[in-house]
């Protein structure tokens, strides 16, 4: 019997989530930013290697989509793992900032247009 898939993974993604297919929370979008808590909670239980990789990658803020790409795992699996870490107090999550709905500064746009016209 052979080992892993073409990427060398020996554990199937559903095994990483304990068979869960849905996240326990709705905090995570593709562009939500995840950051590991520093220092980690003292009472935190030891974690699986996948959780350790997530915490290491999230030492600096990282978007969920980028994290999934770096882990080479489906976003749905990463979100379930992130829910576990959030509930354990090991990460924080920030939703994307809302886009400003104010009208653009027309004077500024005209100056840019005029400046580009001189090039």
């Amino acid at each position: 019997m052979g080992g892993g898939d073409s990427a060398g993974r020996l554990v199937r993604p559903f095994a990483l989530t304990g068979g869960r297919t849905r996240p326990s929370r709705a905090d995570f979008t593709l562009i939500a930013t995840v950051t590991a808590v520093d220092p980690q909670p003292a009472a935190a239980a030891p974690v699986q290697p996948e959780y350790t990789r997530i915490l290491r990658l999230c030492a600096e803020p990282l978007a969920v989509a980028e994290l999934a790409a770096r882990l080479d795992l489906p976003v749905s699996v990463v979100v379930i793992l992130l829910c576990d870490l959030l509930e354990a107090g090991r990460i924080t999550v920030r939703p994307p900032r809302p886009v400003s709905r104010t009208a653009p500064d027309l004077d500024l746009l005209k100056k840019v247009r005029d400046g580009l016209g001189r090039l």
Side-chain angles (χ1 to χ4, degrees):
M1 298 206 111
D5 60 14
S6 62
R9 188 178 302 123
L10 298 174
V11 179
R12 297 283 183 210
F14 68 85
L16 297 175
T17 65
R20 294 172 291 162
T21 58
R22 300 205 186 275
S24 59
R25 307 174 63 110
D27 299 89
F28 299 97
T29 64
L30 290 175
I31 57 175
T33 304
V34 179
T35 309
V37 172
D38 186 29
Q40 286 288 302
V47 295
Q48 298 172 346
E50 293 76 26
Y51 293 119
T52 303
R53 287 181 63 205
I54 291 170
L55 293 171
R56 190 173 343 111
L57 288 169
C58 292
E60 298 291 327
L62 193 62
V64 172
E66 178 69 19
L67 181 60
R70 290 188 186 187
L71 293 170
D72 192 28
L73 289 171
V75 172
S76 59
V77 170
V78 172
V79 167
I80 292 170
L81 298 176
L82 289 172
C83 287
D84 294 344
L85 290 170
L86 183 63
E87 290 168 1
R90 303 187 93 152
I91 62 169
T92 59
V93 60
R94 288 209 157 151
R97 292 184 190 166
V99 175
S100 173
R101 300 282 184 207
T102 60
D105 183 347
L106 292 178
D107 289 333
L108 176 61
L109 291 174
K110 287 177 183 176
K111 288 177 184 176
V112 171
R113 180 195 64 195
D114 294 343
L116 290 174
R118 287 186 219 133
L119 293 177

